[in-house]
Amino acid sequence: MILVTGGAGYIGSHTIKELLRDGREVVALDNLSAGHRELVLCREFVHGDLADGDLLRHTFRRYPIEAVIHFAAHTSVPESVADPGKYYRNNVGCTLTLVEAMVEAGVRTIVFSSSAAVYGDPVKIPIPEDHPTDPKNPYGRTKLVVEGILRDYAVAHGLRHVSLRYFNAAGSDPDGEIGECHDPETHLIPIVLEVALGVRREVQIFGTDYDTPDGTAIRDYIHVTDLARAHVLALRAVEEGRAEAAYNLGTGRGHTVREVVECCRRVTGREIPAVDAPRRPGDPAALVADPSRAERDLGWEPRFTALDPIVETAWKWMTRRSRPNPGSPR
Ligand code: UDP
């Protein structure tokens, strides 16, 4: 059985769906501070916090857990700048509690949800895994510290581990069963689609003077189901002892903010007002993955390689979710 921490979150819930599809048994653990119970598709669910060592020990005794996929973390860059203690306590402190409980229970396999934020401002594009790591904010630093903890526990306790460095997770389950729900929403694609839905008046384009073809920032948008599938493959590779320490997960293609807004106009057929705004502090001009290591070692290849189909899945989820339930009171 696989323990998925943060299993009620965006990427965690999609990964559970792929694990179940792969025939794995899954138990999800989530404190529901940001996650949603209804996104969890596996039967076994533990409502609780990773800071609670007793709960973890109990969970490892109760279920026959062979491996952990660890998503649970705070994920907002600006919040991490304003309140770094919250991020170090949760993202680093709770991970330490988790790996200690794993070692105590004899569970020695972990897939860790890392981030392209560990690289900071890239010195070259696309970014390979051996690119220097120099995070620009506490969020990225917590991810890099945890990668280091896993390496140290591998030496001391034989922990088998892999860190997956995500670029920009986007889209929703193509079946429309689960999807992205952040509150507040900070990510570009759902924000633009909220404008299309009429929930927001306009989208602000953060920075129009970058050294890019149209002056707006470039990101590598990777579909969440492709990310989820990479976890299933990475888990297998760690179990078989053939995984490297870290893999980039991205498509290797970059899109500017203006291209994303244009794509959302195309997909939704709506106008979507956009206004130019100052740069968001700490944003690099361009982040694009070199995903060749994951392709080579994990046999992973993104199925969503173009932006339109990614946005279509996000739009399908958002329009479905915004429709009132016929049985529910108005
Ligand atoms: N962005 C924007 N307007 C918004 C939200 C995001 O222009 O309302 C830009 C942001 O500055 C970045 C890109 O869109 O260049 C992707 O931002 P997001 O927050 O989705 O992901 P990040 O790259 O920060 O992880």
Side-chain angles (χ1 to χ4, degrees):
M1 185 173 250
I2 313 300
L3 172 66
V4 178
T5 75
Y10 173 42
I11 306 173
S13 61
H14 285 79
T15 298
I16 289 176
K17 179 160 179 165
E18 289 305 300
L19 286 166
L20 296 173
R21 215 199 290 267
D22 196 48
R24 298 283 196 150
E25 293 201 18
V26 181
V27 51
L29 185 148
D30 203 296
N31 64 7
L32 300 180
S33 65
H36 304 268
R37 179 69 182 86
E38 65 276 15
L39 297 182
V40 180
L41 298 179
C42 59
R43 202 169 328 117
E44 301 297 335
F45 179 75
V46 178
H47 182 195
D49 205 289
L50 280 187
D52 185 348
D54 287 339
L55 174 78
L56 287 175
R57 280 185 284 277
H58 175 74
T59 304
F60 283 118
R61 275 197 302 272
R62 181 165 164 211
Y63 298 99
I65 295 166
E66 315 119 49
V68 176
I69 305 185
H70 177 39
F71 293 99
H74 294 318
T75 58
S76 158
V77 169
E79 190 186 40
S80 79
V81 174
D83 190 357
K86 179 175 175 179
Y87 276 67
Y88 282 103
R89 265 193 307 279
N90 190 44
N91 295 9
V92 177
C94 290
T95 303
L96 207 47
T97 310
L98 172 68
V99 291
E100 291 276 297
M102 285 177 66
V103 169
E104 200 184 311
V107 178
R108 294 219 152 70
T109 304
I110 183 165
V111 177
F112 172 58
S113 164
S114 189
S115 167
V118 298
Y119 296 115
D121 278 327
V123 294
K124 66 169 173 178
I125 294 277
I127 303 173
E129 288 82 356
D130 60 4
H131 183 285
T133 47
D134 183 16
K136 285 277 158 292
N137 50 63
Y139 168 73
R141 266 188 287 276
T142 64
K143 293 291 175 183
L144 193 57
V145 171
V146 170
E147 289 195 11
I149 290 174
L150 299 183
R151 283 194 174 87
D152 293 339
Y153 273 65
V155 173
H157 303 291
L159 193 72
R160 301 185 299 183
H161 63 99
V162 63
S163 295
L164 302 180
R165 296 174 175 164
Y166 315 147
F167 283 68
N168 287 60
S172 286
D173 170 32
D175 303 333
E177 198 176 7
I178 51 176
E180 183 169 17
C181 342
H182 293 116
D183 187 19
E185 189 51 75
T186 60
H187 294 118
L188 179 63
I189 292 174
I191 284 180
V192 178
L193 294 179
E194 281 179 8
V195 179
L197 272 180
V199 175
R200 289 175 193 258
R201 249 205 357 253
E202 60 193 21
V203 55
Q204 292 186 301
I205 297 186
F206 296 146
T208 53
D209 58 350
Y210 287 108
D211 185 15
T212 61
D214 66 16
T216 67
I218 292 176
R219 294 290 180 273
D220 181 339
Y221 296 90
I222 173 79
H223 192 273
V224 65
T225 299
D226 282 326
L227 279 185
R229 228 165 19 82
H231 289 73
V232 175
L233 296 170
L235 173 63
R236 209 172 292 152
V238 195
E239 287 171 336
E240 292 169 3
R242 55 179 177 82
E244 296 262 4
Y247 290 99
N248 284 340
L249 298 180
T251 64
R253 292 176 193 81
H255 300 279
T256 66
V257 174
R258 284 205 204 286
E259 282 168 357
V260 170
V261 174
E262 253 333 296
C263 170
C264 292
R265 290 183 177 133
R266 243 185 344 263
V267 167
T268 64
R270 305 200 180 169
E271 214 167 289
I272 311 186
V275 294
D276 293 355
R279 292 183 181 196
R280 202 170 57 175
D283 268 353
L287 285 175
V288 179
D290 174 353
S292 48
R293 185 190 277 182
E295 289 170 3
R296 187 193 63 216
D297 289 8
L298 307 179
W300 175 75
E301 218 178 324
R303 292 180 182 156
F304 286 83
T305 51
L307 199 54
D308 283 45
I310 294 180
V311 169
E312 277 162 21
T313 62
W315 181 235
K316 177 173 166 184
W317 166 252
M318 287 180 69
T319 46
R320 179 178 288 201
R321 201 161 55 107
S322 68
R323 229 176 284 141
N325 201 329
S328 68
R330 297 284 159 105

